[in-house]
Amino acid sequence: MTGTPARTENDPTGIPAAGTPADDKTLRILSTSDVAGLDVSLADVVGVVEQAYRTLADGKSANPRKLTVKPEDGHSVSYAMLGRDGVREVVAIKTSYKHGLDKGRDEQHYYTTLTIYDDVTGLPVAMMDCGRVGSLRTPAVSALLARELAAPGSRSALVIGTGTQGRLALPFLLTTLPQLDRLMVYGTHPDGLAAVRERLHHYFPERELEVVEDVRAAAGDADVVVATAGQHTPAAVEAADLKPGALSILVGHGIAPSTLHEADRVIATSEAQMKVTGTDMADADGNFPPVDAEFPEVVAGRAEGRRSADERIFAYNSGLVVTDIALGHRFAQLAVEQGLGTRVSLWQ
């Protein structure tokens, strides 16, 4: 497993740039382009995310329930997430704001930031655009879910959606399940489909991509289904479409509530967060079936994941802020080493 060891006096969490005073309170701002230039492998991302889950399961990290604000007409949604990484010894807050949910993809606005503080020195580490962190963290979590919960011998995967999360879903799945040999995608945007193909061939040039038109029929052939589509997708895979042993992972939209309510087993990254962000999956009375296990406990070996080869499992990937913190902090370390970012005297 790749990860960051516990900090030492010679390897502090908030690595200062050469020549920076030890008590410097300026804030390093990392823009979209700064973060985009940082090189990190898919396997490293998976390792960092897995360590964050294990640390949380060990009780060393804190991940409180996220706060949500949404207007009555649903045209926007905002989240605030605070957490602490007990291995890296940093505290951070993530904010997320999306506007134009009632409009097409090209008319929407999305802004997300992560601000990290060193919990040993009490000094700020960095504030960054969190878009790339989320675009890597979320498919890495799906890949870990697939590694732990897919039926033995799984060979086929279907990704529903071609947006930010859909484009790296297959490369990450192949990172944790290299035996997959049938890779399917369903989408309604030609540019999105082209982007999925480009990302797959960038990381796995020898692999072929199958674009499917009948998403429900394709789901019936898939061992792993990852639903990443936006809320306006016409895709709505039902439980009856899934074959025995199938794993369905919900990130965005694309699978119907029946896949949750009729599942043999339900796993969630966080049961509390599923009830906050997954309200469209509730039954007519607004209720959810009980979660059989939370994923950090599964990763740590303290809870059962899959119990039999033929049970259908529903997994809810809501993303925990401790994973954003771990990956964002790794990016901050790389940025400091490379001298990236803009120093702002916010508190001076």
Side-chain angles (χ1 to χ4, degrees), residues 197-215:
R197 189 182 302 277
E198 186 279 327
R199 288 289 83 192
L200 175 63
H201 289 165
H202 173 80
Y203 291 101
F204 296 93
E206 76 285 359
R207 298 302 188 107
E208 294 298 323
L209 179 67
E210 180 181 346
V211 178
V212 301
E213 295 184 1
D214 188 336
V215 66

Side-chain angles (χ1 to χ4, degrees), residues 35-59:
V35 178
L38 299 172
D39 186 24
V40 61
S41 72
L42 301 186
D44 286 343
V45 173
V46 171
V48 169
V49 171
E50 181 175 359
Q51 184 194 48
Y53 277 138
R54 290 180 180 274
T55 303
L56 181 62
D58 288 342

Side-chain angles (χ1 to χ4, degrees), residues 237-240 242 248 250 255-267 274-275 278-292 312-316:
V237 171
E238 300 283 353
L242 302 173
S248 55
L250 182 60
I255 56 179
S258 63
T259 58
L260 166 61
H261 293 274
E262 298 178 27
D264 298 309
R265 193 159 177 78
V266 177
I267 308 294
M274 183 174 76
K275 293 179 179 179
T279 53
D280 57 317
M281 297 296 284
D283 64 18
D285 298 318
N287 297 320
F288 293 83
V291 167
D292 294 293
R312 294 186 180 93
I313 296 180
F314 174 93
Y316 190 79

Side-chain angles (χ1 to χ4, degrees), residues 326-347:
L327 188 56
H329 180 258
R330 179 62 186 137
F331 280 171
Q333 288 178 311
L334 293 171
V336 169
E337 291 169 6
Q338 298 174 32
L340 298 175
T342 303
R343 305 289 291 184
V344 177
S345 299
L346 184 63
W347 298 288

